[in-house]
Amino acid sequence: MFHDRDIPVIDADQIAREVVEPDSPALSEIAATFGQTMLQPDGTLNRRKLGQHVFNDEDELAKLNAITSPAIHKAVKKRVAAYRRKRTPLVVFDAPTLFEGDYAYDVDVIMVVALDTATQLARLMARDKMSETDARSRINSQLPLAEKVNVADIVVDNSGPIDKTKAQVVKWLNKMQLV
């Protein structure tokens, strides 16, 4: 929706993928910490295998975050600085782990997209083609949605049709005079 309105989006998940590309320091450290079995034969990260490992163990997830978070933070700050230099009026930082990654203090407005657990689970399983067990582990590794909603400046209900979700965002953009 934001792209359609020429509003730049910094995608934390995309940056997280970029910082673990082959030959990156983060990928080398992941292999050293969790074993070479976390790499595919072509040298790329086996994200599914690593996810199954870390999302079932808080200590292992903390180890992974200690490796990737500094690189992700650096990349995000670099992109934000570039938009600031251009005086871009609105930049969206799409970060599912905004709070867990300690980014919440770096943003002006927190928008939480909320939906019921069953729908969240079903969508995650369909999008990432993962089992229910893996999807639940991923969801449970994050701050509970209710806690995110409590600190949000705006909450968008995403449990219904996409048109209703879009209407809520457009209403907020209009209120903020950003479209």
Side-chain angles (χ1 to χ4, degrees):
M1 286 183 50
F2 294 111
H3 288 295
D4 292 346
R5 289 169 174 74
D6 294 323
I7 298 169
V9 176
I10 299 172
D11 183 341
D13 285 342
Q14 178 61 39
I15 292 172
R17 285 188 283 281
E18 291 169 8
V19 301
V20 295
E21 289 178 348
D23 301 320
S24 67
L27 184 59
S28 297
E29 194 172 344
I30 288 170
T33 302
F34 300 104
Q36 293 293 321
T37 60
M38 295 300 164
L39 301 180
Q40 309 233 36
D42 65 358
T44 59
L45 180 64
N46 187 331
R47 298 178 66 77
R48 182 174 301 277
K49 187 169 189 172
L50 181 63
Q52 288 172 335
H53 180 75
V54 301
F55 290 119
N56 291 309
D57 186 323
E58 285 182 28
D59 293 335
E60 294 298 286
L61 181 58
K63 286 181 195 176
L64 176 62
N65 288 336
I67 294 168
T68 58
S69 289
I72 295 168
H73 277 266
K74 182 178 178 181
V76 168
K77 286 181 187 251
K78 183 177 179 181
R79 291 180 193 191
V80 168
Y83 286 119
R84 284 193 175 137
R85 283 192 299 276
K86 293 187 217 174
R87 300 182 192 273
T88 305
L90 174 65
V91 177
V92 173
F93 180 43
D94 181 2
T97 57
L98 182 76
F99 302 99
E100 299 86 348
D102 236 2
Y103 295 103
Y105 303 103
D106 294 331
V107 299
D108 297 322
V109 176
I110 296 174
M111 176 184 287
V112 171
V113 179
L115 67 164
D116 63 272
T117 304
T119 304
Q120 181 184 23
L121 187 63
R123 288 180 183 173
L124 180 59
M125 290 166 53
R127 185 193 73 198
D128 291 356
K129 299 184 182 18
M130 62 174 53
S131 70
E132 182 176 341
T133 301
D134 289 345
R136 283 189 189 282
S137 293
R138 179 91 34 111
I139 291 168
N140 292 337
S141 73
Q142 297 178 7
L143 188 69
L145 187 56
E147 290 182 42
K148 293 177 184 181
V149 166
N150 283 338
V151 297
D153 298 297
I154 179 171
V155 177
V156 174
D157 177 9
N158 189 24
S159 58
I162 190 68
D163 290 347
K164 289 191 177 191
T165 302
K166 286 181 179 181
Q168 293 169 73
V169 175
V170 169
K171 181 179 177 183
W172 176 77
L173 289 169
N174 286 335
K175 180 180 172 187
M176 301 302 291
Q177 300 177 345
L178 296 168
V179 289

